Amino acid sequence: MTTTRAAARPAPRARRVSPRVRRAARRNLTAYGFLSGALICFALFSWYPIVRGVLLSFQRTDAAGDTRWVGLDNLRTVLADPAFAGAWLNTAIFTLLALVVGYAVPFAIAIVLNELRHARAYLRFVVYLPVMLPPAAAVLLFKWFYDPGPGLFNQILRAAHLPGLSWLDSADTALLSLVLVATWMNLGSGTLIYLAALQTIPGELYEAAELDGAGLLRRVWHVTVPQTRLILLVMLLLQIIATMQVFIEPYLLTGGGPEDATVTVAYLMYQYAFNYDDFGGGGALGLMLMVVLMLFSAVYLRVSRQDAR
């Protein structure tokens, strides 16, 4: 009896998918298809090198190409290197100088460009032009500028009846010379970002400040800076992260000299990997730099979030 009733019961009918759901699924599938290309590129060229670098910091490869796990030996080797402390000190000084010069100058230029009424598009192109040059070409151009003989900078100093400088050959000026190159190379990007932020400020705020008798500097301090505060904080974080990884300038201009005055952490990492044939030591330095930047970013984001509240 029970079997007969079960057989007589009609089978459940499959639920039909509505055309609206199908269209949404096709749209999402297309979006995921385009997104997969970016994810694959990030996985191959960003995430995999990071993971591989972390693993290298705990491994050592011998002349035969055999890799073995050595734990913290690479970290101990790097910490015992006499150049280790100097590299971190040079990196910190470079970062501070880049903040003093490279952080304030693009913002000031953006304010000037925002105040202009004529030739604004042409001046934007001129400011952004260094970004379009290959970094190696820009650095080699400055290498000629810094030449103690026919270099452009010393020619200008001699024309002003001032003594020439050993820009790259003196430990007192070499690091500052690298900062000037890095600032010039990245000036355009920061300036255009600041300029875009300035153009979102309502003009009524400046008009009210002018009616209150505020001059240019007071308008900048009481209107421009508060209104662009978020962009300034983000650019501060990005600049610190970028400048602490400086490599091209010391590699092409000074080779870490004179007297190791321009040996940075990234350059020392390169020396371990390709000059000393110690990829484990280079990986250990890279891991240290990554941890320092992650800690700084975490503290910065925590402070900025509390300040925003």
Side-chain angles (χ1 to χ4, degrees):
M1 188 69 180
T2 305
T3 307
T4 306
R5 289 180 179 178
R9 186 180 300 167
R13 188 170 54 183
R15 297 180 59 184
R16 296 182 59 185
V17 180
S18 65
R20 181 178 178 181
V21 174
R22 291 179 180 176
R23 288 194 298 269
R26 279 196 293 267
R27 284 198 302 268
N28 292 336
L29 186 61
T30 303
Y32 290 139
F34 283 107
L35 182 61
S36 62
L39 292 177
I40 292 173
C41 289
F42 273 108
L44 290 177
F45 301 107
S46 293
W47 301 330
Y48 173 73
I50 292 174
V51 175
R52 183 60 178 156
V54 173
L55 293 177
L56 277 175
S57 64
F58 300 102
Q59 296 173 344
R60 184 167 297 167
T61 304
D62 56 22
D66 298 328
T67 301
R68 56 190 176 89
W69 192 266
V70 295
L72 300 178
D73 287 351
N74 290 325
L75 294 174
R76 297 189 187 97
T77 301
V78 169
L79 290 173
D81 190 345
F84 175 79
W88 280 101
L89 180 61
N90 293 335
T91 302
I93 295 175
F94 182 91
T95 302
L96 292 176
L97 291 176
L99 289 178
V100 173
V101 179
Y103 184 66
V105 171
F107 187 63
I109 294 178
I111 292 174
V112 173
L113 291 178
N114 194 52
E115 294 290 330
L116 294 178
R117 296 294 179 265
H118 303 287
R120 184 184 296 179
Y122 170 74
L123 292 175
R124 288 179 188 171
F125 170 76
V126 171
V127 171
Y128 193 74
L129 182 61
V131 181
M132 295 186 286
L133 295 177
V139 171
L140 292 177
L141 177 65
F142 266 81
K143 190 172 185 178
W144 176 76
F145 288 166
Y146 288 138
D147 192 287
L152 177 64
F153 292 156
N154 277 347
Q155 291 291 344
I156 294 174
L157 291 176
R158 294 189 186 99
H161 303 287
L162 296 174
L165 296 176
S166 300
W167 297 92
L168 302 176
D169 299 328
S170 173
D172 297 328
T173 58
L175 203 58
L176 179 60
S177 301
L178 300 187
V179 171
L180 296 178
V181 177
T183 301
W184 184 81
M185 289 170 55
N186 302 294
L187 183 66
S189 299
T191 300
L192 290 188
I193 292 174
Y194 290 138
L195 188 59
L198 291 175
Q199 293 178 351
T200 62
I201 302 176
E204 294 83 2
L205 297 178
Y206 289 110
E207 293 175 1
E210 290 179 359
L211 291 176
D212 290 339
L216 176 60
L217 294 180
R218 293 188 62 186
R219 291 200 304 270
V220 169
W221 183 252
H222 293 288
V223 178
T224 305
V225 172
Q227 292 295 317
T228 58
R229 182 170 170 273
L230 178 60
I231 296 296
L232 289 172
L233 292 176
V234 171
M235 292 297 291
L236 176 64
L237 176 61
L238 294 178
Q239 176 141 0
I240 291 177
I241 293 176
T243 52
M244 289 196 69
Q245 302 177 70
V246 59
F247 169 74
I248 296 178
E249 291 82 357
Y251 175 71
L252 292 178
L253 284 178
T254 61
E259 301 174 4
D260 293 337
T262 57
V263 173
T264 61
V265 175
Y267 185 77
L268 186 60
M269 188 192 318
Y270 165 83
Q271 285 186 314
Y272 266 94
F274 297 101
N275 291 346
Y276 308 154
D277 199 19
D278 184 1
F279 288 96
L285 275 171
L287 179 61
M288 288 182 184
L289 183 60
M290 183 179 70
V291 170
V292 169
L293 292 178
M294 289 176 62
L295 290 175
F296 173 80
S297 300
V299 172
Y300 173 84
L301 292 175
R302 181 69 179 270
V303 172
S304 61
R305 187 180 304 171
Q306 292 178 350
D307 192 30
R309 291 176 183 175

